[in-house]
Amino acid sequence: MIVTRSLTKRFGSFLAVDQVSLDVREGDRYGFLGPNGSGKTTVIRMLLGLIYATSGQIEILGRPMPASGPEVLAQVGSLVEGPSAYRHLSGRANLALIDAAGPAGGRRTRQARIGEALERVGLAGIDNRAVAKYSLGMRQRLGLAAALLRAPRLLILDEPANGLDPRGIREMRDLMTALNEAGTTVFLSSHQLSEVEQLCTRVGIVDRGRLILQDDLAALQAPTGRIVVRSTDPGGVAAALDGQVQHRDGDLLIIAAPDAAALNARLVSAGFPVDELRPERRSLEDLVLSLTSAGADRVDRPAAGGSQTGTGTGTKARTATGAEEKDGGSR
Amino acid sequence: MIRVELVKLARRPRNWVSLALLCGLPVLVAVFVAVTHLAPPPGQGPVLLSDVLSSGSLYPAAALAIVLPVFLPIAVAVIGGDSIAGEAGSGMLRYLLARPVGRARLLTAKLVAVVVYVLTAVVLVALTAYVAGTLLFGSQPVAATPGGVTASSLAATSLSGSGLTPGELLLRILGAVAFISVSMLGVGAIALFLSTVTDSSLGAALGALAALITSQVLVTLNSASAISPYLPTRYWLAWLDFFRDPILWRNIDRGLAVQGVYVVVFLAAAWAHFATKDIAS
């Protein structure tokens, strides 16, 4: 669906995107992750033909971009850096203009298309007030509706959950899943890792313009070979499993053991109370934080005395990756 | 896309306000002149105004002379400057291009919208001025002379003056409307180019106005006379020659040629810049 080869973008001397080779397959729900300013938005803009690559190739739906832009983009719905609208017009009027601007479509079926798109994003009952009076969440929904207008084969969405409340985020997730099951490939960027964890089947992680990881989510979250045990008698359990206990924190023990069921049987038969027992899995958050550096929106004071702190994957730097700001460092 | 741009043009309340102001100013002037009967003496004040007291059918020309130096260029610069930069500012540019609307197609549609606005503005000003003029000043026949146009009641004794039929007058006013529209298209092309350069529509509009003001200053400067034939505002008033008898075509032709060059050069620059630009807005 989306294939890039050594995609590179340089703004003057600043290397925004460096040799990114994405591979998004048909039917994927692909999560594109990375700190602020890591180049996510620049990649998305290049995919959509808004920014021209310095070098490298892009193929979308099997066609080269931006050369085949007119045919390709007609089958792509997009949301880039937040929704936009003509503020003095109503939501329906905005969708009508956007729909009429695109190729083909047909005027007679326009209202039906608009109605369906509004229905999907939960704005079916919208009245004629101007978009200027919409709430942030309503604008986000309207932006999604615009992306869905032409029943696209591929959705490219930058931060689709921005501005939505928890219920709205849930609705958005259900909508993405439903569209995906109906055959739409979904490519989305997000900071909300739990969101990506629940929605996506595949992730790519960028850091400072480089794609540092791309894999199926299930593979990334495979069991680590350790088992988490919570017991009201942690001391007893630790003593019984001496040598296998790798970490102890209060009543929580992390035990190196290949088989959770066998461990459970052993503990229960030894008479230990087991409150919780599960195979340990890496969370996406741990993975992302271990692989990426601080977002470009964090500007630390240069370290005194020449010692290098605050850069690389230091713990101090990690705290910034969950920040909520938009990806403003793309340029 | 052209239809979309025209719908956007028509649904923007600001555009109607600017048209109303453009048409309102000459009407206001007409009312004052009609009430006081104090027209400026010939050679002073807005061109042709001294003649309209005797015939209102000349008022469209006087009205165009009133709005031409300031109001009309400002309105055109604002529309032209807003065309691409306004879309960038509202964030709609990226969505239009990703729809997809080809960049050349978008630029063409914007240009058509500017042309339609210019024509609408100039024609509306002429029409409202005709209505206001004939209501307030009556519509005596008009005569054209080598020195300009006068009401024929005065020119009847003049040997050189020849009477103009209403049809001839209409043709000449249409000629003036066309000439002024082309002049304004030059302004629009400069504004459109600047609009592709910056993401601020205010900046683009002010940039275009700054270019015009520079040109106006240089036109009046004797030491700049070497370049004055090539300045965009040099022949702006050449349409007055439509009201001479016979019509003096020399400056009209030159004016059209200069504006044509400005339109072609700036549209080409706008296209070249916009087609290769990274859209980061």
Side-chain angles (χ1 to χ4, degrees), chain A residues 9 45 49-52 70 73-74 78-82 84-86 88-89 97-98 100-103 146 150 331, chain B residues 1 3-4 8 11-12 87 90-92 94-101 103 105 275-281:
Chain A
K9 179 64 186 182
R45 282 176 180 271
L50 296 173
I51 288 182
Y52 296 116
L73 291 177
S78 59
L79 191 59
V80 188
E81 274 192 285
S84 306
Y86 299 112
H88 60 288
L89 298 177
L97 284 176
I98 278 286
R150 292 294 180 83
R331 174 119 202 201
Chain B
M1 194 59 211
R3 237 178 52 85
V4 171
K8 269 152 60 178
R11 296 194 64 169
R12 192 92 196 242
E87 300 284 359
S90 71
M92 283 306 284
R94 57 180 186 261
Y95 288 112
L96 287 175
L97 295 181
R99 182 69 261 166
V101 179
R103 295 189 184 197
R105 231 158 66 85
T276 56
K277 185 188 185 189
D278 281 341
I279 307 298
S281 63

Side-chain angles (χ1 to χ4, degrees), chain B:
Chain B
M1 194 59 211
I2 289 173
R3 237 178 52 85
V4 171
E5 283 308 323
L6 293 182
V7 169
K8 269 152 60 178
L9 192 69
R11 296 194 64 169
R12 192 92 196 242
R14 186 183 77 183
N15 297 340
W16 294 107
V17 172
S18 74
L19 285 180
L21 287 175
L22 276 174
C23 296
L25 177 68
V27 172
L28 185 69
V29 172
V31 168
F32 271 110
V33 172
V35 168
T36 60
H37 281 272
L38 283 175
Q44 281 178 39
V47 194
L48 293 172
L49 204 49
S50 50
D51 297 311
V52 298
L53 270 184
S54 39
S55 176
S57 31
L58 266 181
Y59 197 62
L64 289 173
I66 291 169
V67 295
L68 182 63
V70 182
F71 272 86
L72 201 51
I74 287 181
V76 173
V78 167
I79 299 285
D82 191 52
S83 50
I84 299 292
E87 300 284 359
S90 71
M92 283 306 284
L93 184 56
R94 57 180 186 261
Y95 288 112
L96 287 175
L97 295 181
R99 182 69 261 166
V101 179
R103 295 189 184 197
R105 231 158 66 85
L106 181 60
L107 205 57
T108 311
K110 291 293 185 188
L111 176 67
V112 170
V114 171
V115 172
V116 167
Y117 177 82
V118 167
L119 283 176
T120 310
V122 177
V123 169
L124 272 185
V125 167
L127 278 180
T128 52
Y130 180 79
V131 172
T134 47
L135 282 180
L136 292 167
F137 306 116
S139 54
Q140 287 85 3
V142 171
T145 67
V149 74
T150 52
S152 60
S153 52
L154 303 176
T157 53
S158 155
L159 291 172
S160 55
S162 60
L164 285 181
T165 66
E168 282 171 333
L169 184 65
L170 180 67
L171 269 182
R172 289 178 186 224
I173 288 179
L174 282 179
V177 164
F179 183 88
I180 290 170
S181 299
V182 172
S183 301
M184 287 304 112
L185 216 52
V187 181
I190 296 174
L192 192 63
F193 165 68
L194 291 175
S195 186
T196 65
V197 174
T198 171
D199 285 349
S200 148
S201 45
L202 189 64
L206 289 179
L209 288 177
L212 294 181
I213 291 169
T214 309
S215 165
Q216 296 272 43
V217 169
L218 291 180
V219 163
T220 58
L221 197 67
N222 281 336
S223 48
S225 61
I227 59 162
S228 90
Y230 312 107
L231 293 170
T233 61
R234 166 64 182 83
Y235 296 106
W236 265 17
L237 291 178
W239 58 273
L240 286 172
D241 294 345
F242 276 114
F243 298 98
R244 294 182 201 278
D245 195 54
I247 295 174
L248 278 177
W249 287 102
R250 208 181 61 147
N251 282 355
I252 292 174
D253 289 345
R254 286 187 182 178
L256 290 177
V258 168
Q259 295 304 332
V261 169
Y262 273 94
V263 168
V264 168
V265 167
F266 277 94
L267 287 185
W271 177 79
H273 188 260
F274 188 53
T276 56
K277 185 188 185 189
D278 281 341
I279 307 298
S281 63

Side-chain angles (χ1 to χ4, degrees), chain A residues 244-302:
Chain A
Q244 280 175 277
V245 177
Q246 296 195 331
H247 182 76
R248 183 176 162 186
D249 180 13
D251 60 352
L252 192 84
L253 296 150
I254 295 176
I255 294 155
D259 188 348
L263 179 69
N264 191 23
R266 185 174 157 196
L267 289 177
V268 170
S269 62
F272 291 112
V274 177
D275 293 319
E276 186 186 342
L277 185 143
R278 59 182 161 87
E280 187 191 57
R281 285 173 188 276
R282 269 189 116 176
S283 77
L284 193 56
E285 184 175 345
D286 291 339
L287 188 72
V288 168
L289 294 189
S290 70
L291 287 171
T292 60
S293 51
D297 54 356
R298 184 184 175 100
V299 182
D300 286 314
R301 198 178 292 130

Side-chain angles (χ1 to χ4, degrees), chain A residues 22 30-36 38-40 159 187-197 200 202-208 210-213 217 220 284-285 287-288 292 327:
Chain A
L22 288 175
Y30 190 103
F32 194 43
L33 309 171
N36 288 330
S38 57
K40 296 192 300 292
E159 302 281 350
F187 176 92
L188 59 91
S189 82
S190 183
H191 291 301
Q192 295 186 328
L193 300 176
S194 60
E195 201 38 56
V196 170
E197 219 160 16
C200 293
R202 208 165 135 76
V203 293
I205 301 174
V206 279
D207 186 37
R208 300 183 189 183
R210 300 188 73 101
L211 185 71
I212 50 178
L213 184 129
L217 191 62
L220 295 173
L284 193 56
E285 184 175 345
L287 188 72
V288 168
T292 60
D327 196 358

